[in-house]
Amino acid sequence: MNYFKKILKRIMPQQNYEEYWKLTNAFTDYNGGKFLDTLAVCIKFIDDYQTEEYSDEKYSRLQDEIYKVNPINHISIRKSINQLVKMGFVNSFLVSYHPQAKEYVEARTNKKRETLLSKIVYSNSSFNRAVNNESSIKQINFLIQSLIEKGKLSKEEIIALMLVDIEGYPNSFITEFELQEYVKEANDIGFIKRKYNQIAYLYNLLGKLDDLVFIGEDLYFKEDAEQIFGEDLKAITKRRDPYLHRLYKNQLQEECEEIYGNPMCVLEHLSYPVLIASHIKPFIESDEIEAYDPNNGLLLSRTIDSLFDLKYISFTDDGTMLFSNRISEDVKDFWKDYKLEDTILNEKRKDYLAYHRNLMTTIDARA
């Protein structure tokens, strides 16, 4: 049957029976008042009429209740209810909701809602579900399991996943070979040109899930992206001024020339062909003055910059290296005798280093 469906899709891709992941999207802001008010009404309605079996009349009454807090047309109201059902907040037939749905409405911070959103969507969402139709097919679960296996997913691959019939798929994730087959199919049938709204809806949802991040058009787990991109990951949300950053790096190089005779890693005292102008107080957390203040920087090798940027190491006011409890003993033994010299430890730089040490302590406490 699945083979027959694929043949039909290739022959007549424009027809309504084309199957793909369909996400209703009445809301894009899941922290917004309209989303939260609609969800709160659904929760209260289900609590009040939990023992009443589903019927069109019951569904109609819920729409009337939502209209009181969000007076839009009933087509849009039905779309908003179906979005809550597909995302996993509300279960089909309006008799129950996710155990953490109330907590989501009552959360005091967007950060807490982000984590709850991720749990609810991962554990309970199904794009095949509707108010009057139950489904256990979990597309987001499948996508994230595929991301675990692959490490990253490109835009083409995410779009291709929308064509996968999970119900008939033998594994909880897709193999690289099969994924590339779906990429070819998506291109052959012009899927991206015809279903750009659905693709945008999925991208919007993925972009709001905890621990996921887009780097360009590629999807990563944040931890993996931090290992690969370091501070460049943070700069995605705050763009560097390329000219000011060049001046900032030039000043760090000039400082090294004055002290050591030529640019070099200020810890190892080696003139690597590539040196990193590493921020002490992270660029993303700095104001416009701090972001390009040379005292908020150290010229480092790639290896030291990576350890410093990810808060695996820091330095005391006298330049002694401090180690995170997340770092292995062999690394500590290798670097334990290295320290920054007094000549680069001016008072402003010490203030920035105090901020960096505090960040490392905070991260270690969460680990």
Side-chain angles (χ1 to χ4, degrees):
M1 183 63 179
N2 288 337
Y3 176 78
F4 179 66
K5 289 179 180 176
K6 283 188 176 182
I7 293 297
L8 288 176
K9 280 197 294 184
R10 289 183 180 277
I11 296 171
M12 301 179 69
Q14 303 289 342
Q15 298 304 308
N16 291 331
Y17 53 68
E18 182 178 25
E19 292 187 2
Y20 57 91
W21 299 1
K22 299 180 178 73
L23 174 61
T24 305
N25 210 43
F27 305 103
T28 56
D29 181 4
Y30 307 141
N31 295 310
K34 290 182 179 179
F35 183 88
L36 296 174
D37 288 346
T38 301
L39 177 56
V41 170
C42 288
I43 290 171
K44 185 179 185 306
F45 184 88
I46 290 169
D47 283 343
D48 290 345
Y49 303 101
Q50 194 167 23
T51 58
E52 181 183 338
E53 291 186 0
Y54 175 80
S55 65
D56 290 342
E57 190 270 336
K58 182 180 181 180
Y59 185 25
S60 180
R61 293 200 327 265
L62 174 57
Q63 294 172 53
D64 291 339
E65 291 300 313
I66 292 173
Y67 184 84
K68 293 176 184 178
V69 300
N70 188 17
I72 54 178
N73 66 72
H74 275 56
I75 294 175
S76 297
I77 290 175
R78 287 193 291 274
K79 189 176 180 182
S80 66
I81 298 169
N82 269 294
Q83 181 176 1
L84 293 175
V85 171
K86 288 176 181 289
M87 289 177 68
F89 284 93
V90 173
N91 293 323
S92 299
F93 303 109
L94 308 178
V95 293
S96 62
Y97 46 81
H98 193 278
Q100 292 179 303
K102 277 187 179 179
E103 188 179 356
Y104 185 90
V105 172
E106 296 166 358
R108 294 186 177 182
T109 66
N110 290 348
K111 180 59 183 173
K112 182 173 183 179
R113 271 194 292 270
E114 182 180 323
T115 300
L116 290 171
L117 174 71
S118 304
K119 289 181 177 179
I120 292 167
V121 168
Y122 182 75
S123 65
N124 198 43
S125 68
S126 175
F127 301 162
N128 288 48
R129 195 178 289 149
V131 171
N132 59 355
N133 179 61
E134 181 55 86
S135 175
S136 60
I137 299 171
K138 297 178 179 178
Q139 288 87 349
I140 291 294
N141 191 297
F142 185 83
L143 185 150
I144 290 177
Q145 289 298 321
S146 297
L147 178 59
I148 290 171
E149 290 297 317
K150 198 170 183 296
K152 77 169 183 178
L153 290 170
S154 69
K155 181 177 181 178
E156 269 195 334
E157 290 167 341
I158 293 170
I159 293 168
L161 279 172
M162 295 176 72
L163 294 172
V164 179
D165 178 10
I166 300 173
E167 187 174 21
Y169 201 77
N171 301 313
S172 61
F173 61 89
I174 195 167
T175 65
E176 174 67 20
F177 175 78
E178 290 171 320
L179 179 56
Q180 296 313 313
E181 287 291 303
Y182 278 100
V183 168
K184 183 177 184 303
E185 179 179 349
N187 288 326
D188 288 347
I189 66 175
F191 184 76
I192 188 170
K193 293 179 181 178
R194 294 183 292 103
K195 302 298 179 184
Y196 56 87
N197 279 337
Q198 291 291 329
I199 293 165
Y201 297 161
L202 178 59
Y203 260 66
N204 178 69
L205 177 57
L206 292 173
K208 290 178 168 60
L209 297 183
D210 204 13
D211 201 36
L212 299 181
V213 63
F214 280 102
I215 307 297
E217 294 186 338
D218 295 334
L219 182 66
Y220 293 84
F221 288 108
K222 281 183 182 176
E223 184 177 352
D224 294 341
E226 286 170 355
Q227 294 290 338
I228 297 168
F229 298 100
E231 190 173 299
D232 288 339
L233 171 63
K234 299 171 186 176
I236 290 170
T237 56
K238 179 180 176 181
R239 292 183 63 83
R240 285 192 177 106
D241 183 303
Y243 181 65
L244 290 176
H245 184 73
R246 183 181 291 274
L247 294 178
Y248 162 79
K249 186 172 183 178
N250 286 347
Q251 287 177 288
L252 291 177
Q253 292 174 332
E254 289 163 4
E255 179 185 38
C256 281
E257 288 176 352
E258 290 178 7
I259 298 171
Y260 304 115
N262 59 285
M264 64 175 59
C265 172
V266 295
L267 183 71
E268 298 169 272
H269 298 162
L270 295 173
S271 299
Y272 290 100
V274 177
L275 292 165
I276 309 299
S278 185
H279 279 85
I280 302 172
K281 181 177 182 179
F283 176 81
I284 193 65
E285 298 177 26
S286 299
D287 62 29
E288 291 305 311
I289 301 300
E290 295 168 336
Y292 305 105
D293 178 5
N295 296 299
N296 185 25
L298 294 168
L299 204 61
L300 300 174
S301 67
R302 285 189 181 277
T303 299
I304 297 300
D305 169 68
S306 178
L307 294 172
F308 188 67
D309 181 55
L310 295 172
K311 317 302 180 293
Y312 287 114
I313 61 169
S314 192
F315 299 95
T316 65
D317 283 351
D318 69 358
T320 301
M321 189 180 289
L322 298 172
F323 296 98
S324 162
N325 57 28
R326 295 168 288 127
I327 204 167
S328 63
E329 292 299 322
D330 57 336
V331 175
K332 292 180 184 178
D333 288 341
F334 185 86
W335 293 108
K336 65 184 179 182
D337 296 326
Y338 284 82
K339 67 180 294 185
L340 298 175
E341 294 184 347
D342 291 340
T343 48
I344 63 167
L345 291 172
N346 59 50
E347 292 306 311
K348 289 189 69 176
R349 194 163 270 149
K350 288 178 183 178
D351 288 341
Y352 286 120
L353 283 171
Y355 189 94
H356 188 275
R357 290 194 296 271
N358 185 59
L359 285 179
M360 187 175 80
T361 300
T362 300
I363 294 170
D364 281 354
R366 294 200 305 260

